[in-house]
Amino acid sequence: RIIRTYSAEPEFALKDGVEYEAVIYLKDDRSVRISLLQDKSPGYVNNFIFLAQNNFYDGLTFHRVIEGFVAQGGDPTGTGRSGPGYVLTEEFNDIYLDREGLLSMAKSPAGVSGSQFFITLGPTPWLTGDFTVFGQVTEGMDVARSIQQREPGPGQPDAETILRIEIIEK
């Protein structure tokens, strides 16, 4: 049974001296490998790892995918309006959103989403300062670019499903 609602962001559990990677598995043996930047955004990385290791993302979708902009996923309802029941403590760093393949948490007027994340599909410099990078694609950017384009709502193509996200400790 997958738990998709929590009362608060997870306890900090990152290990000193360990580098973390995430592999997002999609259908047809496609995957995207991401280096997680725990030194630049420890809270977001800790949260993402917690949810991935607890299978939160299994079966969720990339509900909003806009060519040259972002592929956004991690919403339990697939609408872009939901999350795990908490917002994250906001973090800031000096990484500019000036290229494709950067990983960040989504935001709404309520705050930083506890589960929704996006991968940039092109430079998004106007997001710099408002969104914080916590990972970078190291393999599979072609796969990220191939995720089905869509917006949430009726009349859209089926959303690409996240089969699972594996966390690798190095």
Side-chain angles (χ1 to χ4, degrees):
R1 179 168 137 353
I2 297 174
I3 297 172
R4 292 224 159 89
T5 304
Y6 295 89
S7 60
E9 57 187 298
E11 294 287 321
F12 193 78
L14 297 182
K15 302 171 196 160
D16 286 339
V18 174
E19 292 181 23
Y20 296 92
E21 289 183 334
V23 181
I24 302 172
Y25 291 97
L26 305 172
K27 68 180 179 186
D28 301 325
D29 292 326
R30 295 160 47 240
S31 64
V32 179
R33 182 177 292 263
I34 298 166
S35 174
L36 298 175
L37 307 173
Q38 67 271 14
D39 56 328
K40 293 286 191 176
S41 186
Y44 291 4
V45 169
N46 182 72
N47 178 72
F48 189 79
I49 288 172
F50 171 82
L51 292 177
Q53 289 179 332
N54 284 283
N55 307 106
F56 180 91
Y57 293 114
D58 296 11
L60 301 187
T61 63
F62 281 99
H63 60 273
R64 182 173 186 242
V65 183
I66 301 169
E67 183 178 12
F69 181 44
V70 298
Q72 184 169 324
D75 177 354
T77 66
T79 64
R81 297 189 186 106
S82 185
Y86 59 85
V87 294
L88 292 172
T89 302
E90 193 161 14
E91 292 184 315
F92 299 96
N93 61 36
D94 59 356
I95 302 172
Y96 288 93
L97 286 124
D98 59 357
R99 60 194 179 280
E100 68 178 12
L102 299 176
L103 184 70
S104 180
M105 296 306 288
K107 291 172 78 173
S108 74
V112 178
S113 175
S115 63
Q116 289 189 53
F117 64 91
F118 64 84
I119 300 168
T120 59
L121 301 177
T124 56
W126 61 92
L127 298 180
T128 298
D130 201 26
F131 293 84
T132 301
V133 175
F134 74 97
Q136 181 169 334
V137 173
T138 57
E139 291 176 32
M141 195 58 220
D142 57 326
V143 173
R145 284 190 297 267
S146 77
I147 295 170
Q148 176 64 57
Q149 294 177 37
R150 68 183 313 279
E151 288 278 358
Q156 293 290 309
D158 288 343
E160 180 97 35
T161 299
I162 298 166
L163 300 179
R164 67 186 175 93
I165 299 178
E166 177 186 11
I167 300 299
I168 299 166
E169 298 181 7
K170 296 168 99 180

